[in-house]
C-alpha cells in the first residue's frame, strides 16, 4: 500500500506541476493578438435542443440582436425528439430555420450534430464558411459573433468562447459550477492561449472552420462529443484558440443528483476518448512530438489521479489505525492544508475575474475543495462503472438575474 500511495502521489505531483507551470507562464506572459483584415466570415449558428421551449427563446432572441451583419449568419435549430413547443418557438424568429428529428434513438448531442450538420450543408451548399455551436440554455452577448469572427480573421480554425454563469447565486451547486467554468476560462483557456497551447472546447459556445469537417464530416462516437471533436482536430495539427471577448451565458445545474449524473457523463466521456484514441494519439505523438498533445490529456488525468490519491490515503489511514501507528504524518497534513488553501485561492480568483460578488459566492468558495474532491471520486467511480446513457438536464431560467453584473439586460 505504501508503494502504491507513493506512486500515486508522484503522478499527482507531475500532473499538478504541469498544470500549474503552464498556467503561471501564460498569466505572466499574456499574448497580444495580431489585428485581422476586417473581413466577415459567413456562419451557420447551430442550436441543439430537446424539449427546451422554456429557455430556447432567450438564446434565439440574443442571436437576433447580434451586432454582426445579418447577411453573414443564419441560425439553425435542431429540435431533437421534442414533444413540446421547442420547434414552434424557433419558427417565431425570422432568421431561424428549424429542422426536426424524430427518427432513431435519442443518444445525445453528438448524434444530433451527426444528423443535422450534413442536412444544413446539403440544403445550403457553399453558403457558409464557418459554424458555431450552442446549447439551448445559453444566451449570447451581442458582440459574440463579432468577437469570434476576429479570431477566425486572424487565422484561427477552432475557437472557444468565454463561458459565463447565468445563475451563479441560485445555491451552492450553481456556485461550484460557476467557479469551475470560470476557472477553466481564466486559469486554463486564457493562459493556454497565451502559451500557444490548446484551449478546452467545452461543448457549447465554440466555432470552427467548416474545412475541418473534410473529408469525413462530423463523426463522434463518445458521449463527450466536444472533446472528441477537439481531439480529432489535434491529430490534424489544429489546436483550439480562446476568445475572451466572445462572451456567452450558460445556465448551471442546481440539484445534487443532476450534478453527479453530469460529472459521471463527463468522466465517462474522457475515458471513452482515451480508450478510443490512445493508439492514434501515440502514433501521432511518435511521428511528431508536440507538447499540446500532452497538454490535452493532463487535465483529464489529474482528476482521476487525485481521486486515487484520496482513496489510497483512506486505506493508509485505516492501515495505520489497525496497526497502532500514528494516523497522520505531518507532511500529509501540510499537503492537505496546502490543497485546501489552493482551492480557496482559485475559487476567489475565478469568481472575481468573472465579476461575481465574493460575498454571495462565499459558501461556494469555502467549500470548493469539496467540489474538487467530488469530481475526483466520481472520476474514479466512472472508471469502473461508466455512464453509458445520455441523461438530459432540465433547464428553467427564462431571464437573467437582474443583479448579475455582465447581464446584457
Amino acid at each position: 500500500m505504501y508503494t502504491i500511495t507513493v506512486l500515486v502521489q508522484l503522478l499527482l505531483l507531475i500532473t499538478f506541476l504541469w498544470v500549474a507551470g503552464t498556467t503561471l507562464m501564460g498569466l505572466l506572459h499574456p499574448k497580444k493578438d495580431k489585428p485581422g483584415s476586417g473581413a466577415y466570415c459567413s456562419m451557420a449558428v447551430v442550436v441543439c435542443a430537446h424539449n427546451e421551449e422554456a429557455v430556447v427563446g432567450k438564446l434565439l432572441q440574443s442571436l437576433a440582436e447580434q451586432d454582426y451583419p445579418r447577411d453573414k449568419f443564419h441560425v439553425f435549430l435542431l429540435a431533437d425528439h421534442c414533444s413540446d413547443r421547442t420547434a414552434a418557438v424557433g419558427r417565431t424568429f425570422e432568421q431561424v430555420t428549424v429542422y426536426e428529428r424524430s427518427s432513431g434513438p435519442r443518444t445525445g448531442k453528438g448524434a444530433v450534430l451527426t444528423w443535422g450538420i450534413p442536412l444544413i450543408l446539403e440544403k445550403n451548399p457553399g453558403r457558409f464558411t464557418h459554424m458555431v455551436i450552442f446549447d439551448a440554455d445559453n444566451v449570447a452577448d451581442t458582440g459574440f459573433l463579432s468577437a469570434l469572427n476576429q479570431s477566425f480573421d486572424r487565422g484561427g480554425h477552432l475557437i472557444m468562447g468565454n463561458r459565463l454563469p447565468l445563475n451563479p447565486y441560485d445555491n451552492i451547486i450553481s456556485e461550484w459550477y460557476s467557479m469551475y467554468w470560470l476557472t477553466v476560462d481564466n486559469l486554463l483557456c486564457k493562459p493556454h492561449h497565451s502559451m500557444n497551447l490548446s484551449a478546452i472546447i467545452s461543448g457549447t459556445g465554440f466555432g470552427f472552420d467548416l474545412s475541418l469537417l473534410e473529408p469525413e464530416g462530423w463523426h463522434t462516437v463518445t458521449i463527450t462529443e466536444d472533446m472528441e471533436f477537439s481531439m480529432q482536430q489535434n491529430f490534424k495539427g489544429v489546436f483550439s484558440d480562446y476568445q475572451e471577448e466572445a462572451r456567452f451565458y450558460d445556465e448551471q445545474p442546481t440539484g445534487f443528483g443532476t450534478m453527479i449524473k453530469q460529472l459521471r457523463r463527463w468522466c465517462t466521456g474522457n475515458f471513452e476518448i482515451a480508450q478510443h484514441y490512445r493508439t492514434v494519439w501515440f502514433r501521432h505523438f511518435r511521428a511528431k512530438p508536440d507538447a499540446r498533445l500532452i497538454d490535452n490529456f493532463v487535465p483529464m488525468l489529474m482528476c482521476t489521479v487525485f481521486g486515487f490519491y484520496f482513496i489510497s490515503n483512506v486505506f493508509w489511514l485505516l492501515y495505520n489505525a489497525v496497526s497502532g501507528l500514528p494516523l497522520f504524518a505531518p507532511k500529509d497534513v501540510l499537503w492537505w492544508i496546502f490543497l485546501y488553501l489552493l482551492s480557496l485561492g482559485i475559487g476567489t480568483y475565478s469568481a472575481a475575474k468573472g465579476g461575481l460578488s465574493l460575498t454571495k459566492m462565499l459558501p461556494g468558495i469555502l467549500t470548493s475543495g469539496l467540489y474538487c474532491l467530488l469530481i475526483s471520486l466520481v472520476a474514479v467511480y466512472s472508471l469502473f462503472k461508466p455512464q453509458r446513457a445520455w441523461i438530459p438536464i432540465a433547464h428553467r431560467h427564462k431571464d437573467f438575474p437582474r443583479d448579475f453584473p455582465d447581464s446584457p439586460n
Side-chain angles (χ1 to χ4, degrees):
M1 179 58 70
Y2 178 78
T3 302
I4 295 175
T5 302
V6 171
L7 289 175
V8 171
Q9 287 178 334
L10 181 60
L11 190 54
L12 176 61
L13 180 62
I14 293 172
T15 54
F16 174 80
L17 290 176
W18 178 279
V19 173
T22 53
T23 296
L24 287 174
M25 289 295 292
L27 292 176
L28 292 174
H29 301 281
K31 183 178 182 180
K32 294 182 179 180
D33 293 313
K34 298 178 181 179
S37 66
Y40 291 107
C41 302
S42 55
M43 305 186 198
V45 183
V46 180
V47 180
C48 299
H50 168 70
N51 289 345
E52 300 282 14
E53 67 170 305
V55 296
V56 71
K58 70 184 191 309
L59 169 60
L60 299 180
Q61 183 61 41
S62 72
L63 293 173
E65 296 171 353
Q66 291 292 298
D67 62 9
Y68 202 65
R70 288 290 181 270
D71 62 335
K72 290 296 183 179
F73 77 98
H74 190 80
V75 181
F76 296 89
L77 175 61
L78 305 183
D80 181 38
H81 291 79
C82 292
S83 57
D84 66 352
R85 297 183 63 257
T86 296
V89 171
R91 292 191 178 97
T92 63
F93 290 84
E94 181 180 354
Q95 201 166 346
V96 175
T97 298
V98 179
Y99 295 139
E100 295 186 72
R101 177 178 181 245
S102 56
S103 61
R106 185 170 59 84
T107 56
K109 190 165 65 176
V112 179
L113 293 173
T114 299
W115 163 80
I117 289 178
L119 182 62
I120 293 170
L121 299 181
E122 177 187 347
K123 292 183 176 294
N124 301 272
R127 181 179 177 184
F128 305 108
T129 59
H130 294 76
M131 184 165 285
V132 181
I133 307 295
F134 276 114
D135 286 344
D137 63 316
N138 299 154
V139 175
D141 185 78
T142 54
F144 181 89
L145 293 182
S146 294
L148 214 63
N149 181 72
Q150 291 178 16
S151 292
F152 289 138
D153 191 31
R154 289 193 292 262
H157 295 283
L158 177 59
I159 315 297
M160 183 65 219
N162 184 2
R163 187 174 192 157
L164 296 167
L166 174 62
N167 55 319
Y169 310 126
D170 277 8
N171 62 15
I172 198 168
I173 292 175
S174 68
E175 291 179 17
W176 285 345
Y177 267 96
S178 298
M179 287 186 295
Y180 172 82
W181 288 119
L182 290 171
T183 298
V184 169
D185 283 345
N186 293 290
L187 292 178
L188 285 176
C189 289
K190 188 175 180 178
H192 277 202
H193 177 72
S194 296
M195 292 287 291
N196 292 319
L197 296 172
S198 189
I200 296 177
I201 298 298
S202 58
T204 183
F206 71 96
F208 57 90
D209 189 323
L210 280 173
S211 66
L212 299 186
L213 296 180
E214 299 173 358
E216 68 275 5
W218 182 283
H219 179 66
T220 55
V221 296
T222 70
I223 59 175
T224 48
E225 75 292 328
D226 49 348
M227 296 189 72
E228 182 181 358
F229 178 70
S230 180
M231 183 66 69
Q232 291 170 346
Q233 303 316 310
N234 293 167
F235 298 147
K236 301 176 183 178
V238 176
F239 295 88
S240 52
D241 291 326
Y242 174 66
Q243 176 51 266
E244 187 175 17
E245 299 304 316
R247 300 182 181 90
F248 70 101
Y249 305 86
D250 182 45
E251 183 181 334
Q252 307 307 314
T254 57
F256 184 81
T258 299
M259 176 183 69
I260 296 301
K261 291 174 183 176
Q262 188 175 67
L263 293 179
R264 285 190 62 202
R265 177 168 62 84
W266 291 351
C267 294
T268 298
N270 287 344
F271 297 141
E272 286 180 341
I273 291 171
Q275 182 178 15
H276 192 79
Y277 291 98
R278 65 178 184 274
T279 302
V280 182
W281 187 93
F282 278 113
R283 185 169 69 246
H284 278 82
F285 188 77
R286 282 199 303 267
K288 188 178 181 180
D290 194 323
R292 293 173 293 183
L293 285 175
I294 299 175
D295 188 69
N296 282 355
F297 268 102
V298 168
M300 293 187 283
L301 177 66
M302 192 169 186
C303 283
T304 307
V305 172
F306 193 84
F308 277 115
Y309 169 71
F310 176 81
I311 293 172
S312 67
N313 273 275
V314 170
F315 279 108
W316 188 249
L317 290 175
L318 291 174
Y319 174 80
N320 287 346
V322 172
S323 304
L325 300 172
L327 290 181
F328 303 103
K331 64 178 182 64
D332 292 330
V333 175
L334 290 175
W335 175 245
W336 297 334
I337 292 174
F338 166 75
L339 290 177
Y340 178 67
L341 293 177
L342 181 65
S343 72
L344 295 181
I346 291 175
T348 302
Y349 177 84
S350 299
K353 291 293 289 184
L356 303 183
S357 166
L358 295 183
T359 301
K360 292 182 178 181
M361 293 294 292
L362 190 59
I365 292 173
L366 293 176
T367 58
S368 57
L370 177 59
Y371 181 63
C372 296
L373 181 59
L374 283 172
I375 295 177
S376 299
L377 294 178
V378 169
V380 174
Y381 179 74
S382 301
L383 182 62
F384 298 101
K385 192 174 177 59
Q387 178 175 298
R388 301 299 186 188
W390 173 271
I391 299 176
I393 295 175
H395 301 118
R396 61 186 181 83
H397 275 269
K398 297 183 180 180
D399 298 301
F400 280 92
R402 293 298 184 260
D403 59 349
F404 188 60
D406 286 323
S407 170
N409 281 347

